[in-house]
């Protein structure tokens, strides 16, 4: 069964460093998402991406964050200058999204745990 | 404001007993409602979703949920719990924004413990 994959599983970085979290969505999916979950807290929506542009973003997704689909398979989340409070589990998700349909089931990856020291 | 409330932080149920996890939401437009399960170290798996139609929704692993608009609730139920159901359960509400994008808001989660 196809699945969303994410690398690395755990990333440790120093405050102020840039990090790139990588995701490989399911191959025929067109809509991509990033969520984060701070330890012990709820899952929070960050951004959705369709047709090579951001479709929706939350107030959390400020100028420190960016997303990109650099090739036909990867979907990345970049944090330019990490802060301690960026420490969280980051989940990527994808959905079929044919014709821009946003209500298709989202399939989540296993997450990348980001630790900022 | 859009929000999801899961009033129970954790619940302990005996194996074989019935389960109900509560979820209340606040959403201004037509809500799309979801239940996800997260096992330790895993991503989120969709159990079921409600978009429209029959208010009793059947999902995977024997779960069901009932949408009650008058109570703004979407409680998750299972008639007989198995030890493998021990996990964190998230209720979520989503909808199509004015931009055409879809945003999902999650509740804080309910951790289910199953005792033998």
């Amino acid at each position: 069964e196809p699945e969303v994959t994410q690398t690395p599983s755990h990333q440790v970085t120093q405050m102020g460093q840039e990090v790139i979290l990588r995701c490989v969505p399911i191959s025929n999916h067109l809509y991509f998402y990033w969520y984060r979950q701070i330890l012990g807290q709820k899952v929070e929506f960050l951004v959705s991406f369709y047709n090579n542009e951001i479709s929706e973003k939350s107030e959390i997704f400020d100028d420190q964050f960016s997303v990109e689909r650099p090739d036909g398979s990867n979907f990345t989340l970049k944090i330019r200058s990490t802060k301690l409070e960026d420490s969280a589990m980051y989940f990527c998700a994808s959905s079929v999204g044919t014709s821009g349909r946003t209500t298709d089931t989202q399939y989540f990856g296993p997450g990348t745990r980001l630790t900022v020291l | 404001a859009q929000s999801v409330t899961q009033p129970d932080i954790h619940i302990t149920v005996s194996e074989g007993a019935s389960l109900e996890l509560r979820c209340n939401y606040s959403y201004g437009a037509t809500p799309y409602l979801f239940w996800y399960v997260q096992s330790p170290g895993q991503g989120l798996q969709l159990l079921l979703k409600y978009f429209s139609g029959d208010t009793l929704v059947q999902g995977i692993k024997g779960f069901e949920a009932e949408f009650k608009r008058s109570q703004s609730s979407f409680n998750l139920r299972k008639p007989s719990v198995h030890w493998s159901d021990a996990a964190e359960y998230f209720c979520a509400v989503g909808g199509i924004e004015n931009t055409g994008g879809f945003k999902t808001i999650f509740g804080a989660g309910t951790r289910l413990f199953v005792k033998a």
Side-chain angles (χ1 to χ4, degrees), chain A residues 31 33 35 37 40-45 48 55-59 89 91 100 102-111, chain B residues 4 32 34 36 38 41-46 49 51 88 90 96-109:
Chain A
Y31 242 107
Y33 308 82
Y35 294 83
Q37 183 182 28
Q41 298 186 25
K42 64 177 69 175
V43 176
E44 300 171 293
F45 169 80
S48 61
S55 174
E56 193 68 38
K57 63 180 181 178
S58 72
E59 52 277 5
M89 182 74 91
F91 292 105
T102 55
T103 54
D104 291 330
T105 296
Q106 295 178 30
Y107 294 86
F108 284 77
Chain B
V4 178
Y32 296 83
F34 309 84
Y36 288 88
Q38 183 183 32
Q42 303 294 312
L44 298 163
Q45 182 183 24
L46 181 69
K49 63 184 179 184
F51 284 2
E88 186 97 20
F90 293 94
I96 299 173
E97 301 289 304
N98 292 335
T99 55
F102 192 91
K103 186 187 287 188
T104 308
I105 298 167
F106 286 79

Side-chain angles (χ1 to χ4, degrees), chain B residues 63-83:
Chain B
F63 285 92
E64 67 177 26
E66 186 171 12
F67 170 56
K68 292 185 177 180
R69 185 185 299 275
S70 61
Q71 299 176 18
S72 296
S73 69
F74 189 57
N75 295 347
L76 181 72
R77 300 195 293 252
K78 185 169 185 177
S80 177
V81 167
H82 188 261
W83 64 267

Side-chain angles (χ1 to χ4, degrees), chain B residues 3-8 11 20-26 32-36 48 65-69 71-77 89-94 105-110:
Chain B
S3 66
V4 178
T5 302
Q6 293 180 248
D8 303 304
I11 281 182
E20 181 169 32
L21 301 182
R22 295 183 290 165
C23 173
N24 292 95
Y25 68 90
S26 173
Y32 296 83
L33 296 158
F34 309 84
W35 274 99
Y36 288 88
L48 47 78
E66 186 171 12
F67 170 56
K68 292 185 177 180
R69 185 185 299 275
Q71 299 176 18
S72 296
S73 69
F74 189 57
N75 295 347
L76 181 72
R77 300 195 293 252
Y89 291 80
F90 293 94
C91 179
V93 63
I105 298 167
F106 286 79
T110 297

